[in-house]
Amino acid sequence: MARSSDPDVPRAIVAAATRLFAAQGFDATSLQAVADEVSLTKQAVLHHFPSKEHLRQAVLDAILAHWNDTLPRLLLAAAASEDRFEAVFGELSAFFAADPDRARVVLREALDRPAEMRKLLRGPVRPWLEAVAGYIRSGQAAGKHHADVDPEAYVVHVMLFVISAVATASVMQGALDDDARARSDRELARIARASLFSPARSRGGAQPKR
């Protein structure tokens, strides 16, 4: 049995809760099930997280913490480069693909607890949503991005696109034959890129002849 005083225990509990919430949903997952997953007593779990709601928040906070740390760094590193799209989109895709349970948790939360997820989008998520939207507006001013793109709506749709694609990949990629994941990932990136970049300016392309 794990020692509840071990500093890695809270992280292990959050990881176990993420797996279980992804597989069966928050409401169908008991604290006892989470405790069993990490070989602890229920009381030991409650020592770190006073209620199941606290544990749910810790799961979501772990997902958000990555973006609060990573996104500003990506935007600054690519500030003078046209590779910013690849940096941000690539990080978004890689983060969820590395652990599809993260995507499944977000998707389940959106369906099962929409009011709470709306608060999340209007609160902690909004600053980095607006940061990426600001990048899009800069690209529109420079003629690099389609003028009719709604920056905030674009970011929201791409987020949903990536999250739902990753969450359902094990099912949906069954429609493809060879190299299903790579094909799916390439097409996802192509759609997101093509809907943002003006053809004449995308990837350094030449201006069309008039």
Side-chain angles (χ1 to χ4, degrees):
M1 179 175 290
R3 294 172 60 88
S4 63
S5 58
D6 189 324
D8 289 333
V9 164
R11 190 180 308 116
I13 293 171
V14 169
T18 301
R19 290 193 297 272
L20 292 173
F21 293 170
Q24 55 200 37
F26 174 82
D27 291 332
T29 301
S30 66
L31 280 175
Q32 186 62 58
V34 176
D36 292 344
E37 187 80 0
V38 288
S39 300
L40 289 170
T41 64
K42 179 179 175 181
Q43 202 58 39
V45 172
L46 288 169
H47 171 74
H48 295 284
F49 303 97
S51 70
K52 195 168 78 163
E53 183 58 37
H54 282 84
L55 182 53
R56 169 188 172 269
Q57 191 60 54
V59 167
L60 295 176
D61 285 348
I63 295 173
L64 288 173
H66 173 84
W67 286 101
N68 290 336
D69 172 66
T70 301
L71 189 63
R73 174 176 54 79
L74 288 175
L75 292 175
L76 287 172
S81 170
E82 291 193 16
D83 292 335
R84 192 183 301 185
F85 171 85
E86 275 71 20
V88 176
F89 183 84
E91 180 68 22
L92 177 66
S93 299
F95 174 68
F96 284 108
D99 184 358
D101 283 339
R102 296 166 177 158
R104 296 184 187 112
V105 164
V106 172
L107 202 55
R108 280 188 177 275
E109 287 286 306
L111 295 172
D112 296 342
R113 302 166 73 88
E116 287 83 351
M117 285 301 285
R118 280 194 291 272
K119 291 178 184 177
L120 197 67
L121 289 171
R122 292 169 180 165
V125 173
R126 184 168 289 279
W128 54 263
L129 186 154
E130 291 177 346
V132 178
Y135 149 67
I136 293 173
R137 287 194 176 88
S138 297
Q140 288 173 319
K144 296 176 182 178
H145 299 160
H146 292 296
D148 60 351
V149 168
D150 180 321
E152 285 83 7
Y154 172 85
V155 176
V156 169
H157 280 296
V158 168
M159 285 169 46
L160 181 59
F161 200 7
V162 170
I163 290 168
S164 60
V166 172
T168 61
S170 61
V171 176
M172 296 306 178
Q173 289 177 11
L176 303 175
D177 295 323
D178 298 331
D179 206 16
R181 176 174 174 176
R183 289 173 63 193
S184 179
D185 289 349
R186 284 195 300 269
E187 184 61 14
L188 187 66
R190 186 199 67 78
I191 292 169
R193 186 184 298 108
S195 62
L196 179 62
F197 287 92
S198 299
R201 300 299 296 272
S202 176
R203 314 295 286 181
Q207 292 285 353
K209 295 180 180 179
R210 297 183 182 275

